[in-house]
Amino acid sequence: MTGHPPATHEPHTGAEALETLLPVAAVLVLACGYLLLARRARSRHPGRPWARWRTASFLAGCALLAVALLPPLAPFAHGDFRGHMAQHLLIGMYAPLALVLGAPVTLLLRTLPAHRARRSAGLLRSRPLRLLAHPATALALSAGGLVVLYCTPLYDATAHRPVGHGLLHAHFLLSGYLFAWAVAGPDPGPARPGVPARLVFLGVAVALHATLAQLMYGGFLVSVHEPIPQVRGAAQLMYYGGDIAELLLAAALVATWRPARRRPGARAPGPSYRAAGA
């Protein structure tokens, strides 16, 4: 970490406007697609209406993405490392949790014909997805990705380049969604360990975020060439904002914990994708 003066930026160009409009258009498509699926689910299963709070949660996630990608936060993030960190928290932690609690996979399965739903559920049992959806893989991509980003020259190489900045946002969103889904997602998922094991993975994520924030605040082992007050402010945002997001994720996990009641001598049930899909 160094105290270099803030980088100067040219006025907004057409490319920068496009950089903002494209993600926002994608968010609108995502929200409208979810609403259409929810309407179709209500019409196909009038006796089992889709929970309104799940729709509200998914739309809240879309709104958080829009806040992160639109002014005033987006221009602020281009010129101030604290704005970048606020974007990271919204795109990579808060929005993914809200989107995951909307259970979009379950909603999609409910609207598909039976044969297509079975085929789609079969994809959840595929070996690549079993590896990708494991909490260890999700932890490596989300929290481990932050270590690579801030402790190597990667941040300086991508921060002020539109393509690199967009790829960075995509990584934040996808890895954050994957981790929230693997830890506390209501959607069916393959190779998902028990709740105690997932709490351990969540605890490791909390420790990694806290350690990285402390290293960033002290200027140790990080490779972010921005003014020192900005880096320290961003470290505080990561420390406290990340703690709140991870507490919310832990609450979502514990809220879905329903210990199975077993009769004496009964065999432990195996994984049931049919029940999960239902």
Side-chain angles (χ1 to χ4, degrees):
M1 179 179 67
T2 62
H4 290 178
T8 57
H9 300 278
E10 298 178 357
H12 287 286
T13 63
E16 291 173 335
L18 190 63
E19 180 189 357
T20 300
L21 291 176
L22 284 179
V24 171
V27 170
L28 288 175
V29 170
L30 193 66
C32 292
Y34 187 95
L35 289 174
L36 289 175
L37 287 176
R39 181 178 180 182
R40 185 175 181 181
R42 286 193 296 269
S43 63
R44 287 175 62 90
H45 306 280
R48 296 168 54 205
W50 186 248
R52 294 184 182 275
W53 75 266
R54 292 207 180 276
T55 301
S57 177
F58 193 89
L59 294 180
C62 292
L64 289 173
L65 288 176
V67 169
L69 297 170
L70 285 173
L73 182 55
F76 177 56
H78 280 284
D80 194 301
F81 189 60
R82 291 165 294 191
H84 158 82
M85 190 59 67
Q87 272 193 325
H88 155 61
L89 291 172
L90 289 175
I91 297 175
M93 300 186 77
Y94 288 93
L97 176 58
L99 294 174
V100 163
L101 292 180
V105 175
T106 301
L107 177 60
L108 178 64
L109 292 176
R110 188 176 290 192
T111 60
L112 291 175
H115 67 284
R116 291 186 178 179
R118 286 193 296 269
R119 186 180 304 171
S120 300
L123 294 175
L124 296 175
R125 297 190 293 268
S126 64
R127 184 171 298 179
L129 192 56
R130 289 172 66 89
L131 175 62
L132 184 64
H134 195 277
T137 306
L139 177 64
L141 291 173
S142 57
L146 293 180
V147 175
V148 174
L149 177 64
Y150 297 127
C151 297
T152 71
L154 182 60
Y155 171 77
D156 289 330
T158 59
H160 306 304
R161 292 174 174 83
V163 174
H165 206 60
L167 291 176
L168 203 60
H169 287 167
H171 173 78
F172 283 160
L173 177 61
L174 295 177
S175 63
Y177 186 96
L178 183 65
F179 186 70
W181 175 46
V183 170
D187 283 327
R192 183 177 284 160
V195 170
R198 283 181 275 161
L199 283 173
V200 171
F201 283 109
L202 181 56
V204 174
V206 172
L208 285 174
H209 274 112
T211 302
L212 182 58
Q214 290 171 345
L215 290 173
M216 185 179 293
Y217 188 88
F220 302 108
L221 302 179
V222 295
S223 181
V224 176
H225 295 85
E226 298 288 351
I228 291 176
Q230 293 184 19
V231 176
R232 287 184 171 177
Q236 290 176 321
L237 281 174
M238 174 186 279
Y239 189 88
Y240 295 108
D243 277 355
I244 294 173
E246 284 152 346
L247 283 174
L248 292 174
L249 183 57
L253 172 58
V254 173
T256 61
W257 193 353
R258 298 291 184 271
R261 294 182 178 179
R262 294 173 55 192
R263 293 175 297 177
R267 295 180 59 188
S272 173
Y273 285 91
R274 180 176 300 177

